[in-house]
Amino acid sequence: MSFQEVIKFEKVTKDYDLSRLKYGLLVDTFSGLFNIILRRQQKSINNKFVALKDVTFSVSGGETLGIIGRNGAGKSTILKLISKITYPDTGKITAVGRIGAFIELGAGLHYELTGRENIYLYGAILGMKRKEIREKFDDIVNFAGIRKFLDIPIKKYSSGMYSRLGFSVCAFCDPDILLVDEVLAVGDASFQNKCLLKMEEFRKSGKTIVFVSHNLDAIKAICSRVIYLEKGKIVKVGKPKDIVNFYLSRVEIKN
Amino acid sequence: MSIGINPTKEYFAELWRFRELYYALTVREIKVRYKQTTLGIGWAILQPLALTIIFTVVFSFLLNFGSGNAPYPVFAYSALLVWTFFSNAITFGSLSVVTNGNLVSKIYFPRELLPFATITASLFDFVIASLIFLLMFFYFDLKITPNLFYLFLIIPCIFFLTSGLSLILSALNVIFRDVRFILPMALQVIFYATPIIYSLNNIPDKYHKYFALNPLAPLIDSFRDVTVLGQKPDLLPLFIAFLVSLIIFIGGLIFFRMKEKVFADVI
């Protein structure tokens, strides 16, 4: 277990340009160009949504950090920034080590391919080597409980089998930093339990976890430290119990 | 991740680290493309073959187009082989980032792998379709000459040109979905602006300079020269096409890199 900082956010700000969130239209760009040429004022000036504002924090190796807050507070944006899916407008982000993510299971699965083919494909997407997948193949299949259906296209799978397959590959990808986003929202009770047990296992083996959830009990059970976010800003950082209570009181006042 | 002393070196080091994913995505592309089709990989052959038959009937049989010393079917097939690769790779390649939108917005990997995987899958089709080309060689009793060695220059050029354009178009398509509608029209124009169904020899000399604007024209023309006709290609246009292809390829890599940071936000 190492105590050096593995994730570091320094004054990170991230805006989403609302007008650009929609599909870009060639017409918009050309009219924009015209406006620039004619030195006209752009019609929309304040069309920005601030997802994160001046966020600074760090995570040490082996720590389990929880992030809570209302919808749209910027929780998922933090995870996306850590894994380099999206980039900050200002500020600096450092993340050291292999990053694995339990985010929306199955994003990398392909309906037309068989379970077996998908295990190799999804493993590769999560950064595993073929040799590594081959070694863990049986474990993955057993964990997912899909041995009988290995060689049929997964479009024939039930949604439960589908998410179990996705989760199992994730569970065996062995990252240094694990990002978990609301996986507990899907799946039945036994699936949720499996997720939590696996996270517990990760924690015990000294991995770093960043956990985003609305399941406050799970946050209290697993995390060593919690950040509370409100409208893209860090409002409070501290022990899980304190922060969860603080969050609940904030929500109550607003209601 | 910190920016190292040599960003270019780091860029290629990262691509190298993800080589297994490149392989997996390519395999997926090949498998998925022909899943649930009865003919399967046979389509890789049938596409250029069917076009060859159509064009032979229309342009050779009915309109009596000249094809030099070679029989028209093999004359047309040699060019359609390259054309099918070019147009398929660019069509699938330009869509590759958008079709994989859920991956792009959820998981990190070098996004270049998506267009490259589709191009490699098209290259695989190209190899399969080349087998028929070989059979035609024997059937029409064509000569095998040392000029075939020029293929080691021509095929990489075609690959660079196709990849460069796919990189640029796939990135543009994320931001402007109009690309999807413009592309089929553009391909149609390029098809007729390239000596595929006709030979450059049928074109009056004074127009030849305009073909220099289209890097695909000398590439397809040379490909046909060294294979079917067994003659030396025109070296100057080929050399210019080589330079243009290389510039488009490097430009495409740089352009894609510049745009890819916003992919997840816009897609």
Side-chain angles (χ1 to χ4, degrees), chain B residues 18 54 58 62 92 151 170 228 234:
Chain B
F18 279 90
I54 296 165
V58 176
L62 298 176
F92 288 115
L151 288 180
S170 60
V228 177
D234 281 340

Side-chain angles (χ1 to χ4, degrees), chain A residues 75-94:
Chain A
K75 306 185 294 291
S76 299
T77 304
I78 288 184
L79 294 192
K80 283 189 173 181
L81 286 166
I82 295 173
S83 53
K84 286 204 293 176
I85 292 166
T86 185
Y87 296 81
D89 292 311
T90 57
K92 201 179 151 211
I93 297 167
T94 333

Side-chain angles (χ1 to χ4, degrees), chain B residues 139-213:
Chain B
Y139 181 81
F140 290 104
D141 202 19
L142 297 175
K143 263 186 261 134
I144 291 176
T145 66
N147 285 325
L148 279 178
F149 281 109
Y150 279 105
L151 288 180
F152 289 110
L153 173 64
I154 299 167
I155 292 176
C157 282
I158 296 168
F159 176 78
F160 284 142
L161 178 66
T162 312
S163 308
L165 290 174
S166 297
L167 284 166
I168 294 168
L169 291 170
S170 60
L172 276 180
N173 194 33
V174 175
I175 306 160
F176 309 111
R177 302 290 158 104
D178 313 61
V179 170
R180 192 155 50 106
F181 299 103
I182 299 168
L183 190 61
M185 283 188 280
L187 281 174
Q188 195 90 63
V189 174
I190 299 171
F191 179 82
Y192 288 108
T194 305
I196 295 169
I197 46 180
Y198 55 86
S199 157
L200 266 185
N201 297 332
N202 302 133
I203 307 288
D205 276 346
K206 59 176 174 176
Y207 297 124
H208 277 209
K209 56 176 184 270
Y210 298 109
F211 283 89
L213 295 172

Side-chain angles (χ1 to χ4, degrees), chain B residues 106-126:
Chain B
K106 300 274 154 48
I107 295 164
Y108 174 78
F109 58 91
R111 278 73 168 91
E112 286 87 350
L113 296 184
L114 293 169
F116 276 125
T118 50
I119 294 160
T120 314
S122 295
L123 206 56
F124 175 79
D125 287 355
F126 176 79

Side-chain angles (χ1 to χ4, degrees), chain A residues 130-145:
Chain A
R130 240 175 315 153
K131 189 168 157 266
E132 199 182 337
I133 305 171
R134 216 174 297 137
E135 282 163 6
K136 295 174 179 170
F137 190 81
D138 282 318
D139 291 335
I140 294 173
V141 175
N142 289 336
F143 196 80

Side-chain angles (χ1 to χ4, degrees), chain A residues 100-105 167 170-173 178-183 195 198-199 202:
Chain A
F102 286 9
I103 24 180
E104 222 166 295
L105 295 169
F167 175 75
C170 275
F172 286 93
C173 80
L178 181 69
L179 308 176
V180 188
D181 190 0
E182 279 310 349
V183 281
C195 286
K198 199 73 203 175
M199 280 173 65
F202 267 111

Side-chain angles (χ1 to χ4, degrees), chain A residues 14 16 20-26 29 80 83-87 93-95 103-104 107-108 110 112-114 117 120-122 124-131 155, chain B residues 1-2 14 17-21 23-25 27-28 31-32 35-36 102-109 111 174-178 182 260-267:
Chain A
K14 172 81 186 169
Y16 284 105
R20 302 289 288 143
L21 277 179
K22 293 185 191 130
Y23 293 171
L25 289 176
L26 224 43
T29 306
K80 283 189 173 181
S83 53
K84 286 204 293 176
I85 292 166
T86 185
Y87 296 81
I93 297 167
T94 333
I103 24 180
E104 222 166 295
H110 199 288
E112 295 284 353
L113 300 176
T114 66
E117 290 166 337
Y120 280 96
L121 174 64
Y122 200 30
I125 288 169
L126 296 174
M128 290 163 90
K129 301 257 171 281
R130 240 175 315 153
K131 189 168 157 266
K155 61 183 173 185
Chain B
M1 196 167 281
S2 58
E14 192 186 53
R17 250 189 316 122
F18 279 90
R19 62 192 181 279
E20 298 235 352
L21 178 57
Y23 174 81
L25 287 172
V27 170
R28 177 188 76 166
K31 279 182 177 162
V32 169
K35 273 255 156 117
Q36 287 217 333
N102 59 349
L103 263 187
V104 171
S105 58
K106 300 274 154 48
I107 295 164
Y108 174 78
F109 58 91
R111 278 73 168 91
V174 175
I175 306 160
F176 309 111
R177 302 290 158 104
D178 313 61
I182 299 168
E260 82 175 342
K261 292 200 168 186
V262 301
F263 282 177
D265 297 341
V266 191
I267 215 158

